[in-house]
Amino acid sequence: MVPRRQTQSRHMNHTQEVLYQHHVGARSHYTSGPLAEFLAKKAAERAPKTFQWYQDSLLQLWSFLEERGATRVGDFTEHLVNLFRIELRARGARDNTVANRLRAIKAFARWMADTGWTDENPLARLPVPQSTKPQFDLIPDETRARLFALFPADTFLGSRNLAMLGVLSDTGLRREELVGLVLSNVDLGAGVLKVYADKTSDWRYLPLTDEV
């Protein structure tokens, strides 16, 4: 990946430049544009799972924009991001998944303004809904406490079972989703689980509370 520059000139107009572009030559293959630069920065700075979250969110947005011919810096507007949010919901994405996508997109918008790609943050006034716990029938606190008391935290199986119970009670994951969860999709630093949903054939991101 070949970066343009770390900081763009504030006096340059970048509105007609392409957000994300592939260059394929006889001996090289690289991407350019602010989206490519931002992802390269996150790949260098963040843990692989956190980078994957940024990449999934932003490349999904890019596909949406490209399909509509909105490929340039000046096309990156709050209106189109709101249309992307509507598209996600139409495809069955949960509210928490939509919120997580928007967080990554807003981080990109802030970076574009900070580095001079845009004169100001185009999404500064775009609100991101707070992540909420899935709604499901709650078991009584006494029953929940008895379940957690069944497993000793100082053994491997006990701590594993406690972790599984904690995730189930905190996120409302389906049993098959919990069983299919792998360590590489658990980002404790960011407090996020990456879960594949067979229902929508899509990945979703679930926040974890401090308790879990």
Side-chain angles (χ1 to χ4, degrees):
M1 187 174 294
V2 178
R4 296 170 56 94
R5 283 180 297 185
Q6 289 301 315
T7 303
Q8 305 296 318
S9 169
R10 295 283 178 182
H11 302 292
M12 294 179 64
N13 186 335
H14 302 287
T15 56
Q16 295 303 310
E17 297 191 48
V18 178
L19 281 162
Y20 189 69
Q21 193 168 11
H22 288 273
H23 303 270
V24 180
R27 298 184 179 180
S28 65
H29 174 210
Y30 64 94
T31 55
S32 65
L35 183 51
E37 287 186 20
F38 180 78
L39 289 177
K41 175 180 171 63
K42 293 305 176 184
E45 295 177 347
R46 300 292 184 175
K49 287 172 288 189
T50 305
F51 164 69
Q52 188 68 46
W53 165 58
Y54 280 110
Q55 185 178 57
D56 290 349
S57 300
L58 291 170
L59 291 187
Q60 193 170 5
L61 171 67
W62 169 248
S63 295
F64 174 85
L65 295 175
E66 192 175 31
E67 288 172 359
R68 287 153 183 80
T71 60
R72 303 188 182 278
V73 171
D75 297 326
F76 183 58
T77 63
E78 180 179 329
H79 173 63
L80 277 175
V81 172
N82 275 325
L83 292 180
F84 175 63
R85 185 198 304 207
I86 294 170
E87 172 76 9
L88 288 176
R89 288 174 176 161
R91 285 192 277 166
R94 294 173 179 265
D95 289 343
N96 283 350
T97 299
V98 174
N100 278 312
R101 295 280 191 238
L102 290 178
R103 287 190 186 93
I105 294 167
K106 287 203 67 166
F108 172 57
R110 285 194 301 270
W111 175 86
M112 287 228 297
D114 290 343
T115 54
W117 278 102
T118 54
D119 293 334
E120 59 183 18
N121 181 350
L123 303 184
R125 291 175 292 278
L126 178 70
V128 176
Q130 292 292 321
S131 297
T132 58
K133 290 185 178 181
Q135 298 298 313
F136 50 87
D137 294 333
L138 298 176
I139 62 175
D141 290 340
E142 298 79 8
T143 303
R144 186 172 182 269
R146 286 199 299 270
L147 284 172
F148 277 87
L150 292 174
F151 306 104
D154 57 352
T155 66
F156 171 77
L157 288 178
S159 60
R160 182 205 66 180
N161 291 339
L162 285 172
M164 294 174 70
L165 275 176
V167 169
L168 280 173
S169 64
D170 191 66
T171 66
L173 275 183
R174 300 178 183 89
R175 286 173 298 179
E176 59 273 18
E177 291 175 337
L178 178 65
V179 172
L181 191 64
V182 296
L183 190 59
S184 60
N185 290 333
V186 179
D187 190 340
L188 294 178
V192 172
L193 298 179
K194 181 181 176 182
V195 180
Y196 183 75
D198 288 326
K199 183 177 180 180
T200 60
S201 298
D202 196 11
W203 290 94
R204 58 193 175 104
Y205 296 84
L206 298 178
L208 294 173
T209 64
D210 293 337
E211 181 183 5
V212 173

